[in-house]
Amino acid sequence: MNLEGLDGIVLPGGESTAMGLIGTSSGKDSSGKTMWEALREFSRSKPTWGTCAGMILLADKCVGTSAVIEDGQALIGGIDITVCRNYFGSQVSSFEMETPSPPGMEQSGSFPGVFIRAPSILSAAPGVDILGKVVAIPCRSAAVTLMELERKISAGENVIKMGVVDALDRTAGIDYVVVMKPADESQKAEEEESSEEFNTISLPGAADGTNARQVICAARKNNILCTAFHPELTDDIRWHQYFVEMVRRSS
């Protein structure tokens, strides 16, 4: 995969399972690198933006991984965040909600975040800038995944990737997500902490009386930007302006 001459790249939304299968099984280019190896090398030094599935690929840790990949979701990595796949539900659970605007553009109001079968960021390591949070109830499958993750952490297990947990009560209702208000800066919430060992992270706690959690929807570390939502599906270009400025400064 020849990325020569590019100043930045966007890894879009889509199907992260298919992306991982294609990226890791592709042939090698003239320099002897696979697509995955070329993207990993590029994203280590040049501006890279992952939206939705692209965000999953850039994460160092992923839970709720695909059952069709033997060793779990293939990741490019690069930003030390823990991502939960499909946190907000299935394709039919897609929705739009207000999210924080990009840094420096707060005076223009909130940003219309479009979430389509979207992941969430559960925690971010020190050094990762948290650019936006929302409060939302996970879909049923994600809730089960989180319960299993918390059980493993309590047991002292070091989980890097965790497969699909199929332990749902199928009679407990339909698979849907209830979206709650965006989290503001004054709202009290547990601090998300992380280190290289998974058994030290503190997951966002559920809100009183609900299963709602505060989760991260946008984050950045150096040259890597991640958003759980799809800015390209709105007429608001502020996140694109933010990334273009990242590329301009890098160039």
Side-chain angles (χ1 to χ4, degrees), residues 46-201:
K46 293 191 176 183
T48 304
W49 180 12
T51 66
C52 196
M55 182 182 83
I56 295 173
L57 300 181
L58 291 174
D60 282 350
K61 307 177 186 73
C62 177
V63 296
T65 58
S66 174
V68 301
I69 301 180
E70 182 176 351
D71 296 321
Q73 173 68 54
L75 303 174
I76 295 171
I79 181 169
D80 194 357
I81 56 177
T82 303
V83 169
C84 179
R85 281 172 47 117
N86 301 341
Y87 177 92
F88 294 99
S90 62
Q91 197 83 12
V92 296
S93 302
S94 303
F95 63 93
E96 180 178 324
M97 74 179 296
E98 293 183 356
T99 63
S101 57
M105 303 181 190
E106 294 85 356
Q107 71 281 359
S108 300
S110 60
F111 187 90
V114 177
F115 293 79
I116 302 176
R117 197 181 173 195
S120 72
I121 301 173
L122 300 178
S123 64
V128 176
D129 295 325
I130 298 173
L131 305 184
K133 296 179 181 179
V134 294
V135 175
I137 297 176
C139 71
R140 288 190 302 129
S141 58
V144 173
T145 295
L146 295 177
M147 289 172 58
E148 178 66 8
L149 176 60
E150 288 166 334
R151 185 194 66 77
K152 288 178 178 291
I153 292 172
S154 297
E157 296 184 38
N158 180 24
V159 182
I160 297 174
K161 295 179 183 177
M162 190 173 76
V164 173
V165 181
D166 189 13
L168 300 178
D169 178 0
R170 301 295 176 178
T171 64
I174 62 171
D175 185 10
Y176 71 100
V177 59
V178 178
V179 180
M180 301 184 70
K181 65 180 181 180
D184 55 44
E185 293 301 322
S186 62
Q187 183 175 3
K188 292 183 179 180
E190 291 186 22
E191 290 295 325
E192 297 92 352
E193 297 175 354
S194 177
S195 75
E196 292 184 1
E197 294 299 316
F198 224 22
N199 55 15
T200 64
I201 72 170

Side-chain angles (χ1 to χ4, degrees), residues 199-223:
N199 55 15
T200 64
I201 72 170
S202 177
L203 294 176
D208 291 341
T210 74
N211 195 28
R213 294 170 179 264
Q214 185 181 61
V215 292
I216 303 165
C217 62
R220 176 184 175 183
K221 184 174 183 181
N222 300 326
N223 60 292

